[in-house]
Amino acid sequence: MPRLTDARKELRRTQIAEAAVRCFSRNGMERTSIADISAESGLSTGSIYAHYRNKADLVRGAAREMLHRRGDTIGEYAAADVPPDPDELLARLTAAIDPVHARVGVQTWSESTTDPAVRAVVVDATDRMRAMLHDCVTAWLVKVEHHEPAPARELAAPIAHRVMALYQAELLYTALRTPAGQEPTGQAPAAQAPTDRKPTEENA
C-alpha cells in the first residue's frame, strides 16, 4: 500500500477532525466513541488511531481546525487597507458563528474544567485567538486612527480582550439557543454591537 504524502496526511487529519466536530455536536463528547467518528468520517478505526492517539488528541485537532478558520478570516481583516473597527470586527465574527462549532466549543470549555489535557487545548486556542484579535485591533488603530505602532499595541490589548469576551459570550448564547439538529439554514444573527462610539482603553 503506498504511503500517504504529508499533504494527504493533513487532509485525512482534517477529515477526521471535522467528523469528530459533527459527532461531538450531536451526541456530546462524553457519549461520542471512536467508532462513531469512524462511521461519520467513513474511515476505519485503525486509520483514525493512525492520526490521533485518543479522544483528547481529537479534541485538540478539532479545536485547531476551528481556530484555523477564524484565524484566516481575522488575518484578512488585519491586512486590509481599512481594517474594521472593534465594533464591526465583533459583528462580523458573531455573524459567522456556526451553531455546530458553538456547541462543540462550549462542550470543550466544560471538559477543560476537569481534564488537564483539554484545558491546555482551550487555553492555547483562546490565547492564540486573542493574539489575532490584538493584531487586528492594532492594525485598525495604526491604519485608521493613525496611532504610532508601539502605543497602538498597548492600547489594543484591553480592546481585544473585550472583543474576545463578547465573542465567547455569543458562542455560549448560540450553543444554548440552537439545539442539535435545529441549525438555521443561514448564518447566526450578528450580536447587537454598540455603534455610537468605538471602544477605547477606558471602556474596553
Side-chain angles (χ1 to χ4, degrees):
M1 180 179 295
R3 296 177 64 84
L4 292 175
T5 64
D6 288 344
R8 289 288 298 169
K9 286 179 181 178
E10 192 59 33
L11 285 173
R12 189 62 55 82
R13 286 179 62 86
T14 298
Q15 179 183 355
I16 295 168
E18 290 176 346
V21 167
R22 294 192 295 271
C23 289
F24 292 157
S25 175
R26 286 196 306 267
N27 308 323
M29 290 183 179
E30 184 67 25
R31 293 188 297 275
T32 294
S33 66
I34 295 297
D36 294 329
I37 297 169
S38 173
E40 182 73 22
S41 66
L43 300 173
S44 68
T45 301
S47 180
I48 291 174
Y49 278 119
H51 292 87
Y52 292 97
R53 292 169 296 179
N54 47 42
K55 193 185 292 186
D57 200 22
L58 262 169
V59 171
R60 185 179 296 107
R64 185 189 64 174
E65 288 302 318
M66 291 186 285
L67 180 67
H68 178 71
R69 294 181 183 184
R70 290 195 297 264
D72 285 347
T73 301
I74 296 170
E76 290 174 5
Y77 294 159
D81 292 337
V82 182
D85 66 44
D87 287 335
E88 176 63 19
L89 174 61
L90 176 62
R92 292 185 189 182
L93 291 173
T94 56
I97 288 175
D98 181 338
V100 170
H101 289 180
R103 285 194 295 274
V104 175
V106 171
Q107 290 179 50
T108 307
W109 298 344
S110 176
E111 289 286 322
S112 72
T113 63
T114 56
D115 187 327
V118 176
R119 182 180 184 278
V121 173
V122 171
V123 170
D124 178 65
T126 301
D127 287 347
R128 288 171 60 193
M129 185 169 178
R130 186 181 291 110
M132 295 173 191
L133 293 172
H134 189 188
D135 289 343
C136 192
V137 174
T138 299
W140 166 71
L141 287 169
V142 171
K143 295 179 181 180
V144 179
E145 298 295 299
H146 307 297
H147 288 261
E148 291 298 320
R153 286 202 65 80
E154 183 176 353
L155 180 60
I159 301 175
H161 181 82
R162 175 173 176 261
V163 171
M164 182 71 179
L166 291 172
Y167 175 71
Q168 290 178 315
E170 185 66 17
L171 279 174
L172 176 58
Y173 178 68
T174 300
L176 295 175
R177 181 184 58 200
T178 316
Q182 298 182 23
E183 289 83 1
T185 55
Q187 291 180 327
Q192 296 298 312
T195 56
D196 57 335
R197 60 177 179 172
K198 300 183 179 70
T200 63
E201 186 173 6
E202 289 76 18
N203 62 31

